[in-house]
Amino acid sequence: MISVRVCIRSPISPLLCLCFFFFSPAPPARRPACLVLLAAGCGSHSTPLHPPVRLFASPSSGSSRPHPAAAMPGDHGSKVDISFAGRFTASAIAACFAEICTIPLDTAKVRLQLQKNVVAAAAAGDAAPALPKYRGLLGTAATIAREEGAAALWKGIVPGLHRQCIYGGLRIGLYEPVKSFYVGKDHVGDVPLSKKVAAGFTTGAIAISIANPTDLVKVRLQAEGKLAPGVPRRYTGAMDAYSKIARQEGVAALWTGLGPNVARNAIINAAELASYDQVKQTILKLPGFKDDVVTHLFAGLGAGFFAVCVGSPVDVVKSRMMGDSAYKSTLDCFVKTLKNDGPLAFYKGFLPNFARLGSWNVIMFLTLEQVQKMFVRKPAS
């Protein structure tokens, strides 16, 4: 089994890496590489933690619960004792690490989603509309890097990490408690899929309602492409964006696109967490599989695929509303997108979206399964 080596002398050492990213004097373009090096440094002179922790274990059922060594066939992992603070911190660390690794794909996805259709340009009266500027995942990333520099692929990384600390920590940290609440304290055996979906939908909606300003700033920074010489950028950075949006558009503007954002993240979170939970549970029932990195890999890929399939339409609407102030409401954005670009526009950037979410889920869940071992509370002797 592959394990991540983490420093056990100080449980907050991974958080120091995130603090370094936000407050480092290094140029923003170099911070991701510095953060990865720091994270690796935290693991030196350390010891792997055992035993393995089951991420989404079935809820405890009180004193009637059998010993983990003799767990019921339907129970794909013993209940582990982790506080909400521990789950929140582990989730935030894992989500931030996945964000750093995959944000270039997210930047390419946003640019593809915001790009106007050639047919729509022709309908607007252009005699010879230009070909799309961005074409495909790799082509979009290459165009951005060529025109704006490689660092542009990490545009929005600071608000992206703000978002993952809040949204990632809450949506995953609350999942187990909410799921346990829905099934009841006396439940024994596998949790029904409907309860997993309901728990994921609930925690996703709560988390993004709080974290919406970070999502808005991230999309606006990512949406800004190469400017003409002498034209200043709208925002000099994440904190400048928060300040200008609140000052020029009002504090309520920080929650622009909240409707489609809640819909998008609630749906995607339900698809991600419920599918990861369900796929992992199913795989562990197959002969030869155990709770290790292979199982986490397949479950993470399954979570990413289901999330993109069900969440792509609302993701496109969310990106367009946040990136372009021309839309009056969620319905207005949906209707205009459908009328001008056609129904396939709602799956614009599907492949980069899947490449982003698939890889994001694999990295996040693999990291989370390891990091949360640091926060397991030992039973009182």
Side-chain angles (χ1 to χ4, degrees):
M1 176 178 178
I2 298 174
S3 61
V4 174
R5 298 174 68 86
V6 292
C7 179
I8 61 176
R9 289 178 295 178
S10 172
I12 64 170
S13 57
L15 293 178
L16 299 179
C17 298
L18 297 180
C19 291
F20 172 84
F21 187 93
F22 291 117
F23 302 108
S24 169
R30 296 183 181 179
R31 291 184 190 177
C34 296
L35 182 59
V36 172
L37 291 175
L38 258 185
C42 287
S44 60
H45 313 297
S46 60
T47 305
L49 295 174
H50 298 285
V53 179
R54 276 69 175 177
L55 175 59
F56 296 134
S58 296
S60 173
S61 57
S63 59
S64 62
R65 183 73 176 179
H67 189 276
M72 297 171 57
D75 184 14
H76 62 283
S78 59
K79 182 70 175 177
V80 293
D81 187 13
I82 304 177
S83 66
F84 169 73
R87 290 189 186 277
F88 177 90
T89 305
S91 302
I93 292 171
C96 285
F97 182 68
E99 186 77 4
I100 292 169
C101 294
T102 62
I103 197 169
L105 301 177
D106 190 54
T107 300
K109 178 208 74 172
V110 169
R111 294 287 181 91
L112 285 169
Q113 288 177 335
L114 294 178
Q115 182 170 249
K116 303 299 182 182
N117 198 312
V118 174
V119 175
D126 287 345
L131 292 175
K133 180 179 181 180
Y134 302 118
R135 310 186 74 175
L137 174 63
L138 296 180
T140 300
T143 299
I144 294 172
R146 183 175 63 252
E147 294 186 350
E148 306 168 44
L153 291 169
W154 274 268
K155 276 185 176 179
I157 183 61
V158 173
L161 292 182
H162 293 167
R163 177 184 187 274
Q164 293 304 337
C165 282
I166 301 172
Y167 173 68
L170 286 175
R171 74 181 182 103
I172 302 172
L174 288 171
Y175 178 75
E176 281 297 324
V178 172
K179 186 173 69 173
S180 298
F181 172 78
Y182 281 151
V183 298
K185 63 180 181 179
D186 297 324
H187 178 82
V188 177
D190 288 345
V191 176
L193 179 60
S194 61
K195 302 295 184 182
K196 297 174 183 177
V197 171
F201 194 91
T202 301
T203 62
I206 293 172
I208 201 59
S209 295
I210 298 172
N212 193 83
T214 64
D215 221 2
L216 174 70
V217 170
K218 175 187 172 186
V219 169
R220 289 203 179 181
L221 291 177
Q222 288 177 317
E224 193 171 55
K226 184 179 180 180
L227 301 176
V231 177
R233 293 196 173 276
R234 294 172 68 186
Y235 312 111
T236 59
M239 301 311 297
D240 180 59
Y242 290 123
S243 175
K244 282 185 177 178
I245 292 172
R247 187 173 64 252
Q248 297 174 0
E249 305 175 40
V251 175
L254 289 169
W255 275 266
T256 298
L258 179 62
N261 211 15
V262 168
R264 180 249 186 197
N265 285 280
I267 292 171
I268 289 181
N269 190 58
E272 282 181 354
L273 299 188
S275 60
Y276 183 87
D277 202 351
Q278 190 71 22
V279 170
K280 181 179 176 182
Q281 174 183 303
T282 303
I283 291 176
L284 289 176
K285 292 179 180 179
L286 300 177
F289 285 92
K290 55 185 179 180
D291 193 4
D292 59 10
V293 69
V294 175
T295 298
H296 305 158
L297 176 65
F298 283 122
L301 282 173
F305 178 76
F306 283 112
V308 176
C309 286
V310 302
S312 189
V314 287
D315 187 47
V316 170
V317 172
K318 184 265 301 185
S319 292
R320 291 197 170 193
M321 282 197 68
M322 289 184 169
D324 189 344
S325 58
Y327 301 109
K328 300 177 181 178
S329 64
T330 302
L331 181 61
D332 180 58
C333 181
F334 180 86
V335 171
K336 286 182 177 178
T337 300
L338 180 64
K339 179 180 178 180
N340 296 331
D341 298 346
L344 292 181
F346 294 108
Y347 284 90
K348 267 190 173 182
F350 181 87
L351 290 180
N353 202 9
F354 173 64
R356 189 288 204 265
L357 267 183
S359 58
W360 193 96
N361 276 277
V362 169
I363 294 171
M364 194 280 292
F365 283 117
L366 284 175
T367 305
L368 180 59
E369 294 273 11
Q370 301 296 328
V371 172
Q372 71 173 356
K373 295 175 186 177
M374 299 163 49
F375 301 96
V376 177
R377 294 184 292 199
K378 295 181 180 180
S381 56

